[in-house]
Amino acid sequence: MAMNDLSTSLTYLKGVGPYKAGLMSSELGIRTFGDLIEYFPFRYIDRSIVYKPNEVSPGPTEIQVLGVLSEIKLLGHGSKKRLTARLNSNNSTIELIWFKGVKWIQKSINPGDQVIAFGRISNFNGNLSISHPDLESINSFKKNDFSGMYPVYSSNEKLSSSGLNSKGLAKLIAELLNNIGDHQFDWLPESIVKNKNWPSRTIALKEMHYPKNPKRLSIARERLAFEEVFLDQLVFAYKRKSHLASHKGFIFSKLRPNFNNFYKNILPFELTNAQKNVIKDIRENAASGLHMNRLIQGDVGSGKTLVAFMSILMAIDNGHQAAMMAPTEILAQQHYSSLTPWAEKLGINISLLTGSVKKSARKIIFKNLASGDINILVGTHALIEDPVIFKNLGIAIIDEQHKFGVAQRAKLRKKNNPAPHILVMTATPIPRTLAMSIYGDLDLSIIDELPPGRKSIKTVQRTDHNRLQVWGFIKNEIIKGRQIYIVYPLIEESEKLDFKDLMDGYESIIRDFPRPDFEISIVHGRMKSEDKQWEMQRFINGETQIMVSTTVIEVGVDVPNASVMIIENAEKFGLSQLHQLRGRVGRGGEKSYCILITGDKLSDNGKIRIDTLCKTNDGFQIANVDMKLRGPGEVMGTRQSGSLDYKIANIIEDGELIEWSRKIAESIVLNDPKLEKKDNEKLRQRFSEYSRHKIAWGSVA
Ligand code: ADP
Ligand code: MG
């Protein structure tokens, strides 16, 4: 039996016959020793430490808590009958609850008993408790020799009925671990392991199953999590390197006349430090001769458009054209209107191309684009259609990256040969480490600062019962000269119903806010594009005070005078969408408000979303909560490139580890690209297996 070869078939393990092997393969995907050894417990029973009530927190692990019993009470009747008690130590306390066998338990315990309660801590309305703890007197506990932590494996009925419940699996895994002995499976460079003082891979694997205590577990976990993310980061590092080697970029070395002139004479405000830093990143990148492929993240209102414009000026100063693509017609229009006054002052030609541009006008645009007379083309995905041919496209900017697919990004790149520099901008903040994992082949710049003078937006939750009060409030704001958004959800699955909500809402708003004192705009997806445009424009001009709409205004629309955002049925929206919507206000100097109107009863998840919005304006914090509620894969709507579904590592919680692995990967690719050094010998083999399907190995070195 080859216990030192993890690719050995499971049938060679003592206790596993063909039947069990087949079952484990079909139910759990476990076929080899290696698969089984990496079937990690989903929780542990922790007999390693005795906690006090003030030291515990809710979690999946069963733990031991020492204290003195008090307030033993029998409550409720019939099926609601339960026994409760308090477990106390030094002024701290947790609750113990039993629903079954209460009479018998009541008889066996007394106030003043010193006991060890064993179970899982849960959190009920802020009170920590254990349901159905095992109790043991301190004396009998001292006689026991429980010590370490014990694994609990997930199983299912089919497996359990063949003896492969958690205990059965534990037995097989223990057998395997015993037989492996001290055989080493390490492949990480020794220097990394030394630096972190990690245990060997074999010990780490063993301690994932049978840790001596939580600290040892977390060290074992750290090593194995690192191995997972490190391999991916190494793939990315090679990809970035081969990208740089094969893609020469245009060199934007000149910053005049336009860039400098704009910066010194036209820019109406001081750049924020964050904007300066990002522009510096871009300048260095675009002057280096290397092709730029960069993601700019910045919360709504952080001033990404301006950064885009100044990057465009770099291209123009060096004899190139620029393109800027937005996901919706309204947003493209908005970009066009904000860039036009600046472009005009500089004598630069800018045009707008969207689906609704007429054929004749389109022809003229195509002609002027090909001749180079148009310097900047702003538009929707109409930009990437075949007849659009640039004379010399030097930079392409994509706003709201997540609304476009990889294919569209690629098409825009192909609009010029050699490829234009690419900037993608997103207002959906992604934790840095997540960005590194999914857009690992992009460079990253972050605008983490809002322009000065922005007041934070006060956010509150209201229900239909508060309708009169809310209407009174917005009347007041309108009298003060402010403008109001009222947004209704429009969700594809229930589109008809939602649309009715919107129209009903609109009718009643018209009734409550009559002309001539109030003018109201409405914009929704079923309107013709010109009508939408016209209504938007009236609101932008300040001719209407209220904008009733669906989420079409979600991205980009900029009306600094708008100070109140009302979101109807707010519980129907996702967190990041709510945050985006809220970002439509608070753009001027006025105190701004966001009122989330919800039903009376919210789901747990809905409550967390609404509470989070009321508590914070920080997009990154909101993104983190969103990520925890929905999981990173769901949030990003993509499973491209880097894996979001690691076995051990957690993209959000292991941020630092991922950062570190990226640095290490980068330095390896720089210093030993062919992995020839002794330290990288085993890594070379492991990595070539891992990356076989991910990169063309030949192009690497
Ligand atoms: P984003 O696209 O990042 O959501 P915008 O580029 O639309 O944000 O900018 C929001 C608003 O802030 C715009 O009105 C813009 O002119 C203004 N702005 C941008 N940068 C600054 C700055 N440094 N100081 C003051 N206002 C700024
Ligand atoms: Mg924007």
Side-chain angles (χ1 to χ4, degrees), residues 304-305 335 399-400 556:
K304 294 186 292 295
T305 315
H335 279 318
D399 198 14
E400 299 304 335

Side-chain angles (χ1 to χ4, degrees), residues 240 243-245 247-255 279-294 314 318 394 421-422 443:
R240 280 195 300 271
H243 176 87
L244 292 181
H247 294 75
K248 292 232 164 56
F250 291 124
I251 298 182
F252 297 167
S253 54
K254 285 181 250 157
L255 294 176
I279 289 172
K280 189 162 156 262
D281 284 350
I282 295 168
R283 267 180 54 188
E284 285 174 1
N285 195 159
S288 69
L290 300 177
H291 178 252
M292 177 161 67
N293 211 7
R294 183 173 292 276
M314 293 178 210
N318 290 277
H421 289 305
I422 303 275
D443 287 307

Side-chain angles (χ1 to χ4, degrees), residues 240-278:
R240 280 195 300 271
K241 186 183 150 135
S242 75
H243 176 87
L244 292 181
S246 60
H247 294 75
K248 292 232 164 56
F250 291 124
I251 298 182
F252 297 167
S253 54
K254 285 181 250 157
L255 294 176
R256 59 170 57 98
N258 293 299
F259 185 94
N260 283 341
N261 184 16
F262 179 77
Y263 188 61
K264 286 192 194 122
N265 307 320
I266 298 175
L267 181 64
F269 30 65
E270 183 66 18
L271 292 175
T272 64
N273 281 327
Q275 284 171 319
K276 282 183 193 163
N277 287 337
V278 171

Side-chain angles (χ1 to χ4, degrees), residues 269-272 275 298-307 335 342 399-400 425 427 447 451-452 454 556 558 560 584 587:
F269 30 65
E270 183 66 18
L271 292 175
T272 64
Q275 284 171 319
D299 211 343
V300 269
S302 61
K304 294 186 292 295
T305 315
L306 187 61
V307 170
H335 279 318
W342 292 334
D399 198 14
E400 299 304 335
M425 308 199 292
I447 310 185
R454 294 281 162 77
D558 189 13
R584 299 304 107 214
R587 303 190 143 224

Side-chain angles (χ1 to χ4, degrees), residues 31-85:
R31 292 177 191 92
T32 64
F33 288 1
D35 293 340
L36 184 62
I37 222 170
E38 292 194 8
Y39 192 66
F40 297 121
F42 76 101
R43 63 184 176 82
Y44 300 85
I45 293 170
D46 183 1
R47 292 283 194 183
S48 68
I49 294 182
V50 177
Y51 294 93
K52 298 208 180 89
N54 63 333
E55 295 166 336
V56 303
S57 50
T61 301
E62 291 179 40
I63 60 172
Q64 326 179 95
V65 192
L66 172 68
V68 175
L69 292 175
S70 70
E71 299 178 49
I72 301 169
K73 286 182 216 157
L74 203 51
L75 303 168
H77 297 282
S79 64
K80 295 249 172 76
K81 190 182 268 180
R82 63 197 187 276
L83 178 70
T84 67

